Amino acid sequence: MTATAAQDNGLSGYVDRKRRLWLFSLMVPGLALVGPLLYMLVSPQIIWLWLSTLFGYVVIPMLDGVLGEDLSNPPEEAVPALEADSYYRYVTYALVPILWISFLVNIIFLGTHDLPWYGTLAVILATGGSLGFGLNLGHEMGHKKTTLERWLAKITLALGCYGHFFVEHNRGHHRDVATPEDPASARMGESIYRFVFREMPGAFFRAWDLEAQRLDRCGKSVWSLENEILQPALISAVLYGGLIAWLGIEMLPIMLLIAFWGAFQLTQANYIEHYGLLRAKQANGRYERCQPHHSWNSNHLFSNWALFHLQRHSDHHAHPTRRYQSLRDFPDLPRLPNGYFGMYLLAYFPQLWAKVMDKRLLAAVDRDPERINFLPAKKEMLMRRYNLGPQEQVPEEVLA
């Protein structure tokens, strides 16, 4: 985009150098299709089916390490025009059919090909991984106020049977984030394997309670079609029921595994986004307003291009309706050492995760235990390990 084009778009001469790079947010999720297509059109080699998973867990962390970080922000005077530019919305719209086609092709591929177990596993991981990108898209569009974007969010979330995220994230997580009350905020000392058993059910039950309360205020039944959890759930039921009727009941456990792996992508993101960070409780019993320093931030280039700037999570929580192309970096934020994909891999090894992240957490909160969201069962042990208890006072005469 030239400076003249930028001026024509009302951007006051500002040039978004990442404008075309946001297309990676379409290309990377689309890789889930590549393996089955290469298997059918080139040669029946199982290695093709592992390409998208290897790209996510190996290539993207390496690219983030090589390309580094981007700390630039759009000037505030350019933001209104930047957010009004329809190009950025069209990119998100385009991902919806890509995700649906990818899901359908991969399910049909699994239902019509006799694969060894490791080939089936590869397609499950690739397809579930693409559902993770769908959750990210639902996250981006679910925050917006237009009817089209909100319905596209529900339609996308329905692929992985995770439509309750539309309610839970916007009205639950953003309210309770970085507090002990939030099932989607990880605690210091909590492994991802422990976190998943708290986050997944906790998110659903909180979403259902929130929607039931809203409908009750409106004088409507929780089983009404106005229920924003039931709306995407009905889409999921028709989709999964139709595929089972066509391909057979044996596809049900495979599709459930795919849906779980897709949901686990969100769990991983939630785990790393607020690990150990705590909002202070005020004298009135309420928590302080969420600030940028209550989220972990990452400016790593490639993974941000692939995730619609999800990793600039600090600005997102401070300003939830801000569109992805306008999200900013701030100085002195808690920072991740790699992009999300590299951090996912690190989280699979809890001892290594603690070794890397606990010291970063302590630095981010200036070693103040009052600013740490501890796993209660490990709080005393962690206080001792990192010497966070009250320090012994040294007599003045000794200091003299």
Side-chain angles (χ1 to χ4, degrees):
M1 182 179 182
T2 65
T4 301
Q7 291 170 354
D8 291 342
N9 281 342
L11 298 181
S12 304
Y14 170 69
V15 176
D16 179 10
R17 300 186 183 279
K18 295 178 282 190
R19 183 180 176 87
R20 303 303 177 194
L21 295 172
W22 293 121
L23 295 176
F24 279 115
S25 296
L26 305 179
M27 295 169 60
V28 176
L31 288 176
L33 266 176
V34 170
L37 291 177
L38 289 175
Y39 185 97
M40 291 185 290
L41 301 177
V42 177
S43 62
Q45 302 295 320
I46 298 298
I47 188 61
W48 300 131
L49 307 179
W50 285 98
L51 288 180
S52 64
T53 300
L54 291 173
F55 187 82
Y57 281 99
V58 179
V59 177
I60 293 182
M62 291 175 62
L63 287 172
D64 276 341
V66 171
L67 296 177
E69 298 180 84
D70 168 32
L71 305 180
S72 65
N73 294 326
E76 281 304 298
E77 61 271 17
V79 168
L82 189 65
E83 298 221 342
D85 189 340
S86 58
Y87 166 81
Y88 297 96
R89 293 195 299 278
Y90 291 153
V91 173
T92 60
Y93 298 166
L95 185 53
V96 177
I98 290 173
L99 292 170
W100 268 79
I101 292 169
S102 176
F103 179 83
L104 290 171
V105 168
N106 285 11
I107 294 296
I108 295 168
F109 175 78
L110 285 171
T112 56
H113 287 77
D114 186 18
L115 300 172
W117 68 267
Y118 49 90
T120 299
L121 176 62
V123 181
I124 288 173
L125 295 179
T127 311
S130 72
L131 294 184
F133 288 101
L135 282 161
N136 182 46
L137 180 64
H139 169 264
E140 171 64 24
M141 294 196 295
H143 275 292
K144 305 306 177 282
K145 296 180 180 180
T146 70
T147 300
L148 175 61
E149 287 175 294
R150 292 172 70 82
W151 266 105
L152 286 176
K154 295 174 187 177
I155 290 169
T156 304
L157 295 171
L159 282 174
C161 301
Y162 221 73
H164 63 276
F165 176 72
F166 181 85
V167 172
E168 194 282 327
H169 180 82
N170 295 341
R171 289 188 255 146
H173 176 59
H174 271 262
R175 179 193 67 190
D176 299 332
V177 65
T179 72
E181 284 75 22
D182 184 27
S185 292
R187 300 162 178 171
M188 184 183 190
E190 185 174 32
S191 74
I192 193 169
Y193 305 109
R194 183 166 183 163
F195 176 68
V196 67
F197 288 105
R198 184 169 66 86
E199 188 256 2
M200 281 192 182
F204 177 81
F205 289 124
R206 179 168 62 180
W208 187 263
D209 288 344
L210 287 167
E211 188 63 356
Q213 292 166 17
R214 182 186 73 85
L215 290 169
D216 183 62
R217 290 193 299 269
C218 296
K220 297 179 180 179
S221 168
V222 72
W223 299 108
S224 164
L225 286 178
E226 297 292 318
N227 187 320
E228 292 190 305
I229 297 175
L230 293 182
Q231 290 168 356
L234 289 172
I235 299 173
S236 301
V238 171
L239 172 63
Y240 280 56
L243 288 170
I244 290 170
W246 177 20
L247 299 171
I249 192 63
E250 62 272 13
M251 291 302 297
L252 178 59
I254 291 176
M255 288 193 293
L256 291 178
L257 284 172
I258 288 171
F260 170 79
W261 189 244
F264 190 69
Q265 307 310 299
L266 172 65
T267 294
Q268 294 179 118
N270 280 334
Y271 180 75
I272 67 178
E273 285 167 350
H274 307 283
Y275 176 78
L277 298 172
L278 181 66
R279 286 155 57 198
K281 184 170 281 191
Q282 299 171 321
N284 61 7
R286 295 183 179 181
Y287 288 99
E288 65 177 312
R289 181 177 177 272
C290 186
Q291 300 291 331
H293 62 266
H294 293 126
S295 305
W296 289 95
N297 214 57
S298 171
N299 289 300
H300 289 85
L301 280 165
F302 193 88
S303 49
N304 262 315
W305 298 337
L307 293 171
F308 294 119
H309 250 164
L310 175 67
Q311 299 175 155
R312 285 196 168 179
H313 211 64
S314 297
D315 194 19
H316 167 70
H317 266 277
H319 305 90
T321 61
R322 200 173 179 99
R323 291 185 179 272
Y324 69 93
Q325 66 270 24
S326 304
L327 291 174
R328 299 158 294 179
D329 178 50
F330 297 98
D332 303 321
L333 289 176
R335 296 191 184 277
L336 298 171
N338 198 273
Y340 278 19
F341 296 89
M343 300 309 296
Y344 294 164
L345 189 59
L346 183 67
Y348 295 158
F349 304 93
Q351 290 185 332
L352 186 57
W353 171 270
K355 185 174 182 179
V356 172
M357 287 302 296
D358 283 1
K359 65 181 181 181
R360 286 177 173 264
L361 173 61
L362 295 174
V365 301
D366 296 323
R367 298 185 59 83
D368 181 359
E370 297 299 317
R371 296 169 59 190
I372 297 176
N373 185 10
F374 286 101
L375 182 67
K378 292 187 176 180
K379 180 175 180 178
E380 291 186 10
M381 180 272 290
L382 290 168
M383 294 275 286
R384 291 194 303 270
R385 174 184 293 176
Y386 296 112
N387 195 25
L388 298 178
Q391 299 299 304
E392 181 180 352
Q393 297 297 314
V394 179
E396 291 185 7
E397 58 270 20
V398 174
L399 294 175

